[in-house]
Amino acid sequence: MEPALIGTRLASAAIGPLLRKLLAGDGPGAGLTGADRPVRLASLLSFRGEKRTLTEKDVRKLAATLVARTCEGPGGPPFPPDETEAVTDALAAHLLALGDLDMDDVQAVHLGPRALARRLRAAAPAPDGLAADSVLYLDTATEWACHHILEFFTRRGSFVARTLVEQTRGQAALARKVDALAAAHPGPLAEDAAFERRYLAHLARKHGHLTIHGIDLRDTREEWPLDVAYLSLEATGDARDPDRDPREHASVRADLAPAAHERILLRGQAGSGKTTLVQWLTLAACATPPAEGMGYLHGRVPFVLPLRTLTRHGERLPDAERFLSAADCPLTPPDGWADRVLSAGRGLVLVDGIDEIPEAERGRARDWLRGLLSAYEGGNRWLVTSRPTAVRDDWLARDGFTELTLSPMTPAEVATFVRRWHRAAGPAAAPYEQRLLDSLRTTEHVAQLATNPLMCGLVCALHHERRGYLPRGRGSLYEAALSMLLVRRDRERGMGAPYGVDLDEAPQIQLVQRLAYWMTLNDRFQMARGHAESLVAEALPAMGLTDHAPDQVFAHLLHRSGLLREPTADTVDFVHRTFQDYLAAKALVDHWDIGVLVRNATDDRWEDVLRMAVGHARPREAAEILSELLKAADTAADRPSRLRLVLLAATALGHATEVAPEVRAEILRRTGEVIPPRDPDEARELAGAGRMVLELLPGPEGLDERTAHLVVVAATHVLSDAAVPFLARYADHPSLGVRAQLVWAWQRYDARAYADGVVARLDPTELRLQVLDDERADELLRLGLAPELLDLSASVSADRAAAVLARCDPRELRLLDHPPGGELAPLGPLGSLEYLALPTDAVWRTTDLPEGVPLRRLNFLSLPEDGLAGLARYPLLGELPYLPEPTPAVWRDLRALPQIERMTFSAEALADCPEDVVLPRVSFLVCYGGGRRRRGHSLDDVVRVFPGLQLLYLSGGTFDVSRAGDLAALRVVRTNSVVLTGTEGLPSRVRVSA
C-alpha cells in the first residue's frame, strides 16, 4: 500500500476522535497562574498523572484500532499479516513515548509532526525484526498520529492564549532591547524607530474611521470611529478539505485569522466588510495597548496597498521601497526602511481589492505579489482580498495562501452592528436605535437587505436621515439601495471606470432588469453567462449605447454593480433574491404580463414578485391584478389553494399605493371567510397577510382550546408590534398550549412591551419560560418573575445568567445552544434543581454543577472531562442519558454511582464492559442493537453487568434472550424492528411483550 493511501486513511475524520482520547481535558485561560511554569507534555496526556483515564492497555487497544482502520478496504494490509501484532505493539510504544519527552506543548508544535515523530521513534524501544514494509508503515502511521496530536494542541484554549501572551512578552522584550541599543548607538536603528512611531500614528489617524459611501445624508457625518463601530465577522474555510473533521466548526473570527495563517486570500461579496477588515487590522497593529485578542499584531508594521490606487494611472506595481509613496502616504521613510522591516519578518502586508483592477492586470498583480513573497519569505503576514469570483479557486494556492470567505451577518451580528453604528453616530442618533432594531425584527423586507455591513450601514443611515422612518414600503428602500450600489458607491470612492464603462443609473437598471425578467419568466435563479451577455448586447442599440462594447458593459455590471455575481465560472445570478424579484416585478408590469403573474400566483417562488408588481403598478393596474387574483381563488379546486390566493391578495394589498375602495373591501371580506384557521400550517399561512389579519382574528371569548391555540399561532407569526396588544388578550388563557406559544413569541417582539403586556400576566403553572438574550433576562429580573421551568440561551451574558438563576432557582433548567468556546460556565448557587439539560458538545466537568441540589435527571451528550464519578454526590440522581461509546474508565466510574437505576447503552458498548464492572442497582435498561454485529446480540453481557435488572427495553436488531431466565424477574419490551431468538423454554417470570 502506498504511503499516500495510508495517510489518507489515517487523516480521515474517524481517526481524529480516536487520537483525541490520548489527551486530557483542556484547562481554562493561558495557564499563567501559580509558578508560571511551561505546560509539560506529560501533563496533557490521559494515560499519565494521578487522574489518568486511559491505561497502557487502553493505549494499545487504541493502536490496534488505528492499525485495523488503515487495513480496511481494498488493497490488503500494508505489511505482512503475521506482523500485525508486532506493528500494533510498536505503534503503541511510540504513542506511549509521548509521556517521556522532555518538552512542553509549544515546543512540540514548533517541532512539527515529522520531527516529533522522529523524537517518538528515538524514545520508544526499537522494533525488533520487522519487515521493511512494516517499518515504513510504522513511520507513516506515527507521523500522521503526530499531525492529529499537534492539531489538538493548537486548538486548546490555553495553548492559544498562552502562545499569544508569550509572543507579546517576547515582542515587548525585543522592543526594549532595540530601544536600549538605539539609545547606546544612535544611527539607522534609532532613525527607523522614530519614523515608525510617526508612521503608525499617521495610519491610526488615516484608518481610524469607518466611511459610509453612497447615502443621501444632509446633516450627518459620513465617518465613524472605527474602534467603536467595527464589528468582527466570521470567515469560513473550504468545506471540501478532506482532512477536516466535519464535526469541527470551520469558521474563525476574520480579524484573528492572521494569527494562525501567515498568508490569506479573503473572499467576500461587495459590501461584506473586506476593506473595513483591512482598516481594523491596520488600526490594531498601531494601537498601544492592543485591542482584545489582537496582541498578535503588536510590533508589526502595516503596509496598506489598495490596488485600485496603485494602478489608477497605469503605473508599475511598487517594490517595497515605494509602498508608502504609491499608497499616497505623505511621510518619507529612511532609506531601506521598508526592506529592513520585511527582511526582519515584522511586516503586515494588506493587499486590498484584486477585483478592483481590470481583469487583464490581475495576472501581473499576482506576479508582483510572488516576487515580494520570494524576496521576503519568513515571518511576515500577508492578506489579499477579492470578491468571490474575481479570481479562480486556486489562484494563490501554490504560494501557500489559505482561502477564507467572509460569512453573511447573523441576526445577532446585525443587531450589534446597529447598536455600534448609533453609538458612533453620537447622541443625536440615540433616539432612533431601538426603533430600527424593532423594524429589523418585525419588518421582513428590511431584515432581508441587512445581511452585510454595507447594507446595514445603508439601512441605518436612511433610517437616521429620515428621523426614525425608513422609506415607506419596500419599493422606496430598494430604490435607495439600487442607487447606492449601481452608481454612487464607486463614484464616491473614486473608482473611475476600471472596465472602461461609465453608465448612469437608469440604463444600468434597465439592463439588470432585463436579466431579472428573463430569469423569473424562465423559473431560474441562475443563467448562463453567455446568454446574459447576449441579452445585454441585444439591449444596447435600443438604449442608444452603441458606442459601448457589450462585453465591457456586461463586465462592469457583473463586477461593479454590486447586484450580480458569478457562482461558477459560466453562470450568473443576483447577490440577493430580493433584487431579482424587485426588478422582475417592474419589468412584468412594464410589459403588462398580468396573465403570467396570476398563472404563477400559487407558486411560492412568485409570491414576492406578485406583491412587488402591485407596488410598481398604477392604481387601475393594481386593482386589476388584485381582482384577477380573487377570480382565480373562485375557480381554485380546493380550500388550500383558495386560502393561498386570497391571502396573497391581502398581502399584496399592503404594497399598493392606491386601490379602489370596493376592491379593498372585497379582499378584507374574503379574508374573513378563512378565519379562524383550521390547522397550524393554515395558521402560519394566514399570518402572511400581515398586520391586517389581526383585525379579523377573533378574541379568546367563546373559543375552544384548540381554536384558541391556532389563533395565537397565527397572531404570533405576524411580525408587527401591533400583534402585542392582540396577544395580550390571550395572556389569561388557562391552556398550557396557548401559554407556551405566547412564551415562544417573546423573542419576536419588543422585549419590554411584550413582557409587560403578555409575559407578566401568564399563569406560571408548568410553563417553561425561555430567556434567549440579555434583553429578556433584564425584563425577567425587572418583573421579578421566578419560573420553575427555565430555558436559558448561551447568548445571555454570564452576569445576567447568574442573576436570573439566583432569582429563579428553577426546578428544571435547560441550557440551550452551544456555549461560547464550548466551555460550560459554572452554574453557581442553586437549591431546587431536579432536572438539568446541558447543550450539545458542551465542554464540562462535574465540578461545574451546583452543589447540594436534589438532582434527579441529568441530560448530556458529551461526557464530563473529570469523569462520571463526581455525580456520586447526587443521591437522588437515578437516571443517566445514552452513553454511546463508554471507555473502560467510564464503566469503572459507573460503579461509583450506586444510585443510578435507569440507563441506556448500545449492545456493542455492553460487550466492551470490563469483566470487573457489575451494576446491581440498575433495574431499567434501554439497549440498542444493530451496529457491526449483524448476526445478533446475546444477553450474556446484560445478565453479567446488570444482575438486578427488572425491565429491559430492546430497540433495533436481533437479540438472543435465552439467558434472560438467569435474572430473578424480567419484563422484556421490544419494538417492532426487534427480532428475538432463544425464547423457547423461558421461565414464566420472564415476560416478553411488544
Side-chain angles (χ1 to χ4, degrees):
M1 187 183 297
E2 293 293 329
L5 180 56
I6 297 172
T8 299
R9 292 181 179 176
L10 285 168
S12 69
I15 301 300
L18 290 172
L19 287 165
R20 191 191 299 272
K21 295 177 182 180
L22 293 171
L23 304 182
D26 193 3
L32 301 178
T33 58
D36 197 16
R37 294 190 298 268
V39 179
R40 309 307 298 176
L41 213 57
S43 68
L44 302 177
L45 303 174
S46 59
F47 54 87
R48 297 292 293 261
E50 296 180 3
K51 297 184 178 181
R52 65 181 64 186
T53 57
L54 293 184
T55 64
E56 292 187 6
K57 180 179 177 182
D58 296 327
V59 175
R60 191 190 183 284
K61 184 176 180 181
L62 188 151
T65 304
L66 293 176
V67 171
R69 294 282 175 88
T70 51
C71 292
E72 292 174 354
F79 46 77
D82 59 346
E83 294 189 357
T84 300
E85 186 173 355
V87 168
T88 299
D89 289 340
L91 181 57
H94 286 181
L95 297 178
L96 289 168
L98 277 168
D100 299 323
L101 297 185
D102 184 21
M103 64 177 67
D104 59 41
D105 54 344
V106 176
Q107 292 169 330
V109 171
H110 181 72
L111 275 179
R114 182 165 298 176
L116 180 61
R118 285 199 298 268
R119 293 285 186 95
L120 292 180
R121 289 194 291 269
D128 186 23
L130 289 181
D133 287 344
S134 297
V135 173
L136 176 61
Y137 167 79
L138 185 60
D139 291 347
T140 304
T142 303
E143 185 173 329
W144 273 103
C146 290
H147 271 281
H148 287 284
I149 291 165
L150 296 184
E151 173 68 11
F152 298 149
F153 285 164
T154 63
R155 293 182 186 179
R156 294 170 61 88
S158 57
F159 173 88
V160 175
R162 194 172 64 258
T163 302
L164 292 177
V165 169
E166 290 176 1
Q167 286 180 350
T168 302
R169 286 175 174 172
Q171 290 165 350
L174 178 62
R176 288 193 297 271
K177 292 176 182 177
V178 170
D179 289 343
L181 182 63
H185 305 281
L189 285 177
E191 190 178 3
D192 284 0
F195 173 76
E196 282 183 24
R197 286 192 289 271
R198 293 180 57 217
Y199 175 63
L200 294 178
H202 164 74
L203 290 179
R205 290 190 297 269
K206 180 177 180 179
H207 296 284
H209 290 81
L210 178 65
T211 303
I212 299 176
H213 299 277
I215 300 167
D216 298 311
L217 297 179
R218 295 188 300 270
D219 304 321
T220 58
R221 61 187 183 182
E222 287 189 341
E223 293 189 334
W224 320 96
L226 185 60
D227 55 354
V228 176
Y230 179 72
L231 175 69
S232 178
L233 299 178
E234 293 289 304
T236 57
D238 188 352
R240 296 168 296 180
D241 180 2
D243 293 339
R244 186 177 65 83
D245 187 337
R247 291 167 293 186
E248 299 288 348
H249 293 287
S251 62
V252 64
R253 247 181 66 179
D255 54 351
L256 297 184
H261 306 286
E262 286 191 3
R263 303 176 181 182
I264 295 174
L265 173 60
L266 182 72
R267 300 177 187 267
Q269 299 289 351
S272 60
K274 301 185 298 295
T275 298
T276 305
L277 174 63
V278 167
Q279 289 181 254
W280 175 247
L281 292 174
T282 303
L283 189 64
C286 298
T288 303
E292 181 181 358
M294 305 301 291
Y296 75 94
L297 292 178
H298 182 66
R300 293 201 172 272
V301 178
F303 297 96
V304 184
L305 304 174
L307 286 182
R308 65 176 179 271
T309 301
L310 303 185
T311 62
R312 60 189 166 191
H313 301 304
E315 302 96 334
R316 182 172 62 88
L317 288 166
D319 55 25
E321 289 307 311
R322 295 194 299 116
F323 277 179
L324 271 58
S325 60
D328 293 334
C329 176
L331 304 180
T332 302
D335 290 341
W337 168 76
D339 177 75
R340 289 191 290 275
V341 168
L342 294 171
S343 297
R346 296 195 299 119
L348 175 64
V349 185
L350 305 167
V351 182
D352 188 26
I354 286 289
D355 58 292
E356 295 182 351
I357 60 175
E359 191 169 358
E361 297 182 17
R362 291 171 192 167
R364 183 166 62 89
R366 181 173 55 183
D367 293 340
W368 162 75
L369 182 60
R370 283 175 173 165
L372 292 172
L373 292 168
S374 176
Y376 305 107
E377 291 184 340
N380 299 299
R381 292 291 191 268
W382 306 79
L383 176 73
V384 179
T385 73
S386 172
R387 294 197 192 185
T389 59
V391 293
R392 67 176 187 267
D393 287 348
D394 59 348
W395 199 66
L396 289 173
R398 84 170 207 192
D399 303 295
F401 276 76
T402 298
E403 290 204 9
L404 299 174
T405 300
L406 283 174
S407 304
M409 295 170 71
T410 65
E413 288 171 337
V414 171
T416 300
F417 182 98
V418 170
R419 294 188 182 97
R420 292 184 180 179
W421 192 99
H422 285 79
R423 192 189 336 159
Y432 308 120
E433 177 183 327
Q434 190 57 48
R435 291 168 66 176
L436 179 54
L437 289 171
D438 294 341
S439 294
L440 287 165
R441 187 169 56 250
T442 60
T443 310
E444 184 179 2
H445 66 271
V446 178
Q448 284 179 341
L449 280 182
T451 56
N452 63 49
L454 176 68
M455 296 307 293
C456 280
L458 165 74
V459 170
C460 289
L462 289 173
H463 185 263
H464 184 201
E465 193 267 344
R466 288 162 173 79
R467 301 294 187 269
Y469 294 94
L470 287 168
R472 188 172 182 81
R474 284 197 284 189
S476 299
L477 187 60
Y478 295 157
E479 286 176 9
L482 289 172
S483 175
M484 183 200 68
L485 291 171
L486 290 171
V487 178
R488 303 197 56 202
R489 182 165 173 264
D490 276 358
R491 185 171 294 169
E492 293 177 14
R493 296 173 79 195
M495 286 292 299
Y499 292 92
V501 174
D502 187 12
L503 292 177
D504 290 333
E505 180 179 332
Q508 291 192 74
I509 288 180
Q510 285 292 324
L511 291 171
V512 292
Q513 183 176 305
R514 190 179 182 91
L515 302 180
Y517 178 76
W518 186 93
M519 288 188 197
T520 302
L521 208 58
N522 290 277
D523 197 22
R524 299 284 188 273
F525 301 125
Q526 290 182 1
M527 66 188 304
R529 176 176 176 142
H531 189 56
E533 290 176 327
S534 66
L535 288 178
V536 170
E538 291 170 6
L540 293 179
M543 299 172 65
L545 298 174
T546 54
D547 56 335
H548 289 73
D551 59 336
Q552 289 180 308
V553 173
F554 179 78
H556 173 83
L557 292 174
L558 181 61
H559 296 294
R560 301 309 324 158
S561 71
L563 287 175
L564 301 175
R565 64 181 180 182
E566 284 181 293
T568 66
D570 56 356
T571 59
V572 177
D573 67 1
F574 280 83
V575 296
H576 200 293
R577 167 78 182 280
T578 294
F579 289 119
Q580 177 183 329
D581 291 344
Y582 176 80
L583 293 165
K586 188 174 186 303
L588 285 160
V589 170
D590 290 346
H591 290 84
W592 198 229
D593 288 330
I594 184 173
V596 175
L597 287 168
V598 176
R599 279 197 303 273
N600 291 283
T602 55
D603 186 339
D604 58 3
R605 292 172 294 184
W606 279 73
E607 286 184 0
D608 262 357
V609 178
L610 195 145
R611 294 186 186 104
M612 292 181 185
V614 172
H616 285 299
R618 291 169 293 187
R620 277 192 295 177
E621 295 169 340
E624 185 174 346
I625 295 174
L626 295 170
S627 298
E628 289 297 320
L629 280 177
L630 294 180
K631 291 178 184 178
D634 290 335
T635 59
D638 50 43
R639 175 181 167 84
S641 298
R642 289 195 299 275
L643 175 65
R644 191 177 193 88
L645 290 167
V646 170
L647 292 180
L648 183 56
T651 57
L653 182 63
H655 290 257
T657 305
E658 180 183 343
V659 174
E662 59 273 16
V663 175
R664 182 182 295 274
E666 177 64 10
I667 291 174
L668 294 177
R669 185 189 70 78
R670 298 283 292 273
T671 304
E673 294 177 355
V674 296
I675 292 174
R678 302 184 184 184
D679 56 55
D681 289 337
E682 195 172 284
R684 286 187 285 269
E685 192 169 12
L686 186 65
R691 60 182 297 169
M692 71 173 65
V693 79
L694 299 171
E695 302 173 9
L696 304 171
L697 288 171
E701 299 80 10
L703 297 184
D704 60 72
E705 186 173 308
R706 172 175 168 76
T707 303
H709 178 255
L710 292 173
V711 169
V712 171
V713 169
T716 53
H717 282 79
V718 176
L719 293 179
S720 168
D721 281 342
V724 176
F726 176 85
L727 294 170
R729 297 166 62 186
Y730 282 81
D732 299 320
H733 202 284
S735 166
L736 180 60
V738 170
R739 289 181 287 133
Q741 182 69 22
L742 292 172
V743 166
W744 171 84
W746 193 8
Q747 61 185 303
R748 302 170 71 85
Y749 302 105
D750 177 78
R752 172 156 293 197
Y754 198 87
D756 288 335
V758 180
V759 177
R761 295 170 48 195
L762 294 173
D763 178 1
T765 305
E766 296 303 315
L767 182 63
R768 187 175 299 278
L769 200 65
Q770 295 178 337
V771 178
L772 303 183
D773 55 33
D774 282 356
E775 286 184 276
R776 274 76 190 163
D778 288 341
E779 293 307 311
L780 181 145
L781 295 169
R782 181 180 66 86
L783 294 173
L785 300 179
E788 291 189 342
L789 283 63
L790 179 67
D791 287 356
L792 193 62
S793 170
S795 300
V796 180
S797 61
D799 58 336
R800 301 294 209 300
V804 166
L805 292 176
R807 175 70 183 86
C808 299
D809 191 13
R811 173 166 51 91
E812 295 189 6
L813 174 63
R814 296 193 307 191
L815 300 178
L816 309 177
D817 313 323
H818 191 74
E823 292 284 349
L824 179 68
L827 294 174
L830 294 175
S832 305
L833 193 64
E834 297 179 7
Y835 170 66
L836 174 63
L838 303 180
T840 304
D841 293 334
V843 178
W844 66 290
R845 302 160 188 81
T846 58
T847 53
D848 295 330
L849 305 183
E851 295 279 355
V853 297
L855 191 65
R856 297 177 182 274
R857 288 190 299 147
L858 178 63
N859 194 16
F860 55 84
L861 291 179
S862 57
L863 291 168
E865 291 191 330
D866 56 351
L868 292 171
L871 298 178
R873 67 180 188 271
Y874 301 109
L876 299 179
L877 182 63
E879 180 178 354
L880 288 179
Y882 175 57
L883 302 176
E885 295 183 5
T887 64
V890 172
W891 278 111
R892 293 189 172 94
D893 278 351
L894 292 174
R895 292 188 302 188
L897 306 177
Q899 75 274 32
I900 300 298
E901 297 178 349
R902 300 166 66 96
M903 301 191 70
T904 303
F905 288 105
S906 71
E908 290 182 349
L910 282 170
D912 294 333
C913 178
E915 294 289 337
D916 59 339
V917 173
V918 178
L919 305 175
R921 289 290 302 275
V922 175
S923 60
F924 178 97
L925 178 68
V926 178
C927 189
Y928 290 98
R932 297 187 296 273
R933 302 185 185 185
R934 301 190 178 183
R935 294 184 179 179
H937 303 274
S938 168
L939 292 193
D940 291 0
D941 298 306
V942 172
V943 172
R944 173 175 59 85
V945 181
F946 306 107
L949 197 62
Q950 298 177 17
L951 178 60
L952 174 62
Y953 188 99
L954 301 177
S955 178
T958 300
F959 290 86
D960 178 1
V961 297
S962 58
R963 287 286 309 278
D966 293 351
L967 298 172
L970 180 66
R971 179 186 173 201
V972 179
V973 180
R974 62 187 179 92
T975 63
N976 292 332
S977 61
V978 169
V979 176
L980 297 184
T981 63
T983 57
E984 303 84 0
L986 285 177
S988 59
R989 66 176 182 272
V990 178
R991 293 175 295 154
V992 178
S993 60

